Amino acid sequence: MGRTRLITSVTARVLEGQAVAIHGPRGMGRSTFLAAVTAGVPHAISVRLQRRGVPGHGVSVVAAAFPQATLDELPDRMRSLLLDPRTLPATDPAERLGYALTELLTAQAATAPFVLVLDDAQHLDAVSLAALRAAASRSLGPGAFGALVAIGPAEVDPTTGHPRTVTARELSLLHVELQPFAAADTVELLAADDVPTDTALWAHRESGGNPGLAREIAAAVDGLPPEEAARQLGSLARTRVHELTEPVRATLQRVAAMHQPTTATLQRIGGETAVASVRAARALGLVVTEDEYLRLTPEALGDVLLESVDSDELVALHRELAEHADSEGLTRYHLALAGDTGTTPADLAAAATGCAARGEHDLAAQLYLLAADAGTPERDEWLTLCLENAVIGKETRVLHRATRAAADLTEPSLSVRAKLALVELGDSAPDEILVAALYESREDPTLQARVLLQRARLLAGSNDLRSAMDSAGRAVELARRAGRTDIEVDALTVGAAVGRTLGDPDARRLMEEAAALAGDPRPGQVHTSARYIAARFSLHDDDLRRARAAFVDMLADVGPDAGYDTVHVLRSLVEVVARQGRGREALELAGRATRAATHFDTPVATTWFIEEIAESVGGTFERTRVVSSRGVELARRERDQRYLRRHLAHLGLALLHLDDLEGAVGVYRELRRLDADSGIRDLTSVRWHTDAVTALVLGGEIDEAEGLLAEVRAGLEDGLGAPGVAAAADRAAAEIAAARGDLDTARTLATRSIAAAEEHRLPIELARSLVTLAHIERRARRGGRSREAAARAREVLRPLHAVPWAEWVNARFPEGAALHTLEVEEPEGAADPLGDLTLTEQQVAGLVAEGASNREIAQRLHLSVKTVEGSLTRIYRKIGVRSRTQLATLVLGHGPR
């Protein structure tokens, strides 16, 4: 799970005779990965080393795994050298052993090309390593000998306390580092063990994506109440700490005491010893790097590491960290924890204010809490600021304390501000909190405006869009009365975004008004600002150059520590490049967004959405299906209508292009109901409508498809679309016309769609419309024009690395192939009794005529057997036959299909 593309790539390389080394920390699945690759090669010789032995021991273990018949072909002296290290000569043992190993490999390759699989190669002794290097450098012929090696954490050197150097890394191989799992992969892995999604997501976070550790954590805490689960996690952390050497323990204690620790800071304090310790801890799966920061896995490891540190040592530790801190905020933070009498609460609050202004909300929350702990008259104000910053910065370490303290606030303005922050946390009863806040703020128009603004955002998220518009409008009026332009801008922005979704013609005016009034967005709140939403409007309008430029500028401004800002700006960039068809760039940006989301504890619904966007253009449709299915399941359980729509749209897209028509139609019908219930008319932000038309046409539901397309056309006439939507609508109309047998109209519509997509530089839409034209020309018996359109679609996609789309085109129109699905040229107007069949139905009919069974048809067309059966039922109904024999006779009598 989670490594399909890498397994495929590595398998292909070793089958070509290349050598690949797999690295990864403990628990990352090196052995499992080796097993998966080994299962895909025809001849593999697998060896697992247990420990480092005498010189030549490694080669003797490898040689013993070869067939006895191969060993018998070697001269007795060579065979003895290979199997018994004691027979190695004192002079040049590695060279002699290397020649003997070369002979063994040559003898085996003469039988058949093979792959040598070597697990735990870190245990290779120096002589065996040199012999393997020498043998691998000698050519045995192209593809005769491939190698796959897994290299894990090395043994600890008792003199230094650090792992020994893994000399196996010196092998001249392609070195591949196994990366942590994405959240969807961890959920899928643990679901096989019947672990609930919530527990799986928590285990993913605590493990840093390490699958072995995630399973260990889930097994320890599954089904336990929170307090008992915390104890079990602490117990698990203690077992992991117990095996640490003193240098590694000391370095990790610094990590535990630091706020956002980095290797650079640790190196300033502890030099190369600290760097080596971090490397050792990473190899043991105790620490991960998120962006530039280090995080202990599980986080309970930090508490366990500091348990054994007495108060004097802890004071000294924080003083040391203060001396090496790289900002005033961090210096104040560590001095306060060291009990420095010269650091006053006012100093801490001032430092917190500076951090918040720079977007460092997590550190600001920590500093405000330390200032509040002094119990000065400013305590309540600082507690409120702590809570507000902790919510923005997702600083979970102080949220619980700040939340409990906020319950005691009595001053109305502070109480209302605290309640608004609590709503951001996704409290189980947000309506009750907001009603109470609205009552408390009744004498203060500024606070009332803030409460109504928050309510508008909450209602927009639940798709109660009309109520959201009303609340945003009232917030605008109150903000104007109070002279609070900042709140007015935010409320206008919410109103514009909601209005666009509803199809309100005033949405653009509201957005322009907000943009005209807006100043620079506040750090941590860029993703809700007028500047951000205006860029989202450009994205929805298919003005991709403007959108991309705006989001790139925003990303440079928000910096690496901006929490949700970083995640959402990256998410928007993923959407832009996905619409531009840039698959590789989409995956790279999605990876950055996922790492940032993990660091800032962003809800997984957002993470999965980003991943499925990237997968749908740069990965695979199967992977898109897996991730979006998980997203749909989670959104339904959390009653998150906004993300339910988003995940359903990508699930429908994946199912449609995996030829699961029944599943796709079901998804699109649910989306249609959701939008109707919420009054959503926008066609641009969640683009499912024309794909739904296509699914209905392919499924034979032509009347329903025409009804939905009529709604799309009406929306376009009302100005609710974008160039890409209009092009897709023409393509969908072409598919309906083709299904009705009006191929001339279909050709005209498809050609118009192609021209629009080309004009607006929308390559995915262009390729899809070219494929539609290729299908139409095929139906019209114009094989040459069909092949020309398909070839052009491939050329459009070729430089973009839009892998799933390129594979989809090639599956339907294989490059250079002359298949039964490519018709011969025939004069226009010739009778075609099979003309009412969809492409899939034509393919099924052609394979029936060849005598293929339903299962064989399913395998050849990459469909389910159930889909094939449904297609046959529709074929029989459309052309009036009752058996496979009648269908085959009709197909064969009408010429090749």
Side-chain angles (χ1 to χ4, degrees), residues 217-436:
I217 290 172
V221 306
D222 189 22
L224 298 177
E227 290 185 3
E228 181 60 28
R231 281 194 292 270
Q232 286 296 325
L233 198 58
S235 177
L236 175 63
R238 285 183 188 87
T239 63
R240 293 167 69 79
V241 167
H242 181 71
E243 62 184 340
L244 296 179
T245 61
E246 189 52 41
V248 176
R249 183 192 298 269
T251 297
L252 292 187
Q253 284 171 339
R254 290 190 180 107
V255 171
M258 293 170 72
H259 178 82
Q260 293 189 339
T262 65
T263 302
T265 303
L266 292 169
Q267 187 173 16
R268 286 202 300 271
I269 299 170
E272 289 307 309
T273 296
V275 175
S277 294
V278 170
R279 191 162 50 243
R282 187 178 285 114
L284 294 172
L286 299 174
V287 67
V288 293
T289 303
E290 293 171 354
D291 289 331
E292 62 183 289
Y293 303 113
L294 300 173
R295 182 166 68 83
L296 296 169
T297 52
E299 288 193 355
L301 202 61
D303 295 331
V304 171
L305 284 162
L306 295 178
E307 283 176 350
S308 59
V309 179
D310 64 33
S311 57
D312 290 340
E313 290 173 324
L314 193 58
V315 166
L317 178 58
H318 281 295
R319 286 195 177 279
E320 176 187 59
L321 293 172
E323 289 174 12
H324 292 89
D326 51 14
S327 72
E328 180 190 355
L330 282 172
T331 300
R332 294 289 188 190
Y333 171 75
H334 287 297
L335 285 175
L337 291 175
D340 179 60
T341 55
T343 302
T344 67
D347 292 334
L348 293 170
T353 302
C355 288
R358 292 189 298 273
E360 300 171 6
H361 295 283
D362 47 357
L363 181 54
Q366 293 272 14
L367 290 166
Y368 277 128
L369 186 60
L370 288 169
D373 284 343
T376 62
E378 300 89 350
R379 173 185 176 275
D380 288 355
E381 171 68 20
W382 289 338
L383 275 175
T384 305
L385 286 165
C386 168
L387 183 57
E388 289 173 335
N389 280 276
V391 168
I392 296 172
K394 299 301 172 186
E395 182 49 69
T396 55
R397 288 175 291 182
V398 304
L399 268 174
H400 294 301
R401 283 187 60 195
T403 301
R404 286 197 302 271
D408 298 329
L409 296 174
T410 56
E411 203 279 316
S413 65
L414 298 180
S415 176
V416 170
R417 286 167 55 192
K419 285 181 170 63
L420 292 175
L422 290 172
V423 168
E424 287 278 358
L425 292 176
D427 191 274
S428 57
D431 282 338
E432 294 178 15
I433 293 176
L434 288 175
V435 168

Side-chain angles (χ1 to χ4, degrees), residues 508-673:
R508 290 189 184 279
R509 178 187 62 79
L510 292 173
M511 191 68 257
E512 290 168 3
E513 195 174 339
L517 292 171
D520 291 333
R522 295 182 296 279
Q525 297 176 346
V526 171
H527 67 289
T528 60
S529 69
R531 179 186 178 192
Y532 178 80
I533 300 302
R536 296 285 304 173
F537 270 42
S538 296
L539 167 61
H540 298 330
D541 291 338
D542 287 332
D543 190 350
L544 301 182
R545 284 189 173 183
R546 176 179 292 182
R548 182 180 182 126
F551 290 127
V552 167
D553 286 347
M554 272 182 252
L555 190 61
D557 289 344
V558 299
D561 300 331
Y564 274 19
D565 283 352
T566 303
V567 175
H568 282 283
V569 173
L570 282 169
R571 164 217 158 181
S572 292
L573 274 172
V574 171
E575 290 182 79
V576 171
V577 300
R579 202 165 294 170
Q580 291 175 325
R582 301 174 185 271
R584 184 176 294 171
E585 188 175 358
L587 289 172
E588 190 274 329
L589 286 167
R592 288 174 60 188
T594 299
R595 291 190 293 274
T598 302
H599 179 68
F600 295 113
D601 206 19
T602 306
V604 74
T606 303
T607 308
W608 285 351
F609 179 55
I610 296 168
E611 186 178 353
E612 65 203 33
I613 295 169
E615 285 290 337
S616 70
V617 72
T620 66
F621 285 126
E622 179 56 37
R623 177 67 184 165
T624 306
R625 182 195 65 77
V626 169
V627 178
S628 55
S629 295
R630 292 290 180 192
V632 167
E633 178 186 331
L634 182 64
R636 283 187 176 134
R637 189 169 64 252
E638 296 185 349
R639 299 181 180 179
D640 184 344
Q641 295 295 302
R642 179 184 295 178
Y643 273 99
L644 177 59
R645 291 181 68 241
R646 292 169 177 171
H647 291 309
L648 281 171
H650 280 86
L651 177 58
L653 180 75
L655 293 175
L656 172 61
H657 292 87
L658 291 169
D659 292 314
D660 183 352
L661 298 180
E662 184 178 350
V665 167
V667 164
Y668 289 131
R669 283 173 174 161
E670 181 177 358
L671 271 167
R672 196 176 183 185
R673 287 193 300 272

Side-chain angles (χ1 to χ4, degrees), residues 103-181:
E103 289 300 316
L104 177 63
L105 298 175
T106 303
Q108 183 64 30
T111 305
F114 72 100
V115 175
L116 177 62
V117 181
L118 182 58
D119 200 358
D120 283 337
Q122 70 273 15
H123 297 311
L124 278 172
D125 59 275
V127 170
S128 294
L129 183 67
L132 276 167
R133 186 188 298 116
S137 67
R138 294 170 183 143
S139 175
L140 309 181
F145 164 52
L148 181 62
V149 179
I151 304 174
E155 300 162 337
V156 172
D157 186 331
T159 60
T160 66
H162 291 123
R164 291 190 175 96
T165 301
V166 181
T167 50
R169 280 187 175 270
E170 299 170 7
L171 287 169
S172 181
L173 313 174
L174 171 65
H175 292 272
V176 175
E177 191 79 29
L178 292 182
Q179 297 301 312
F181 269 22

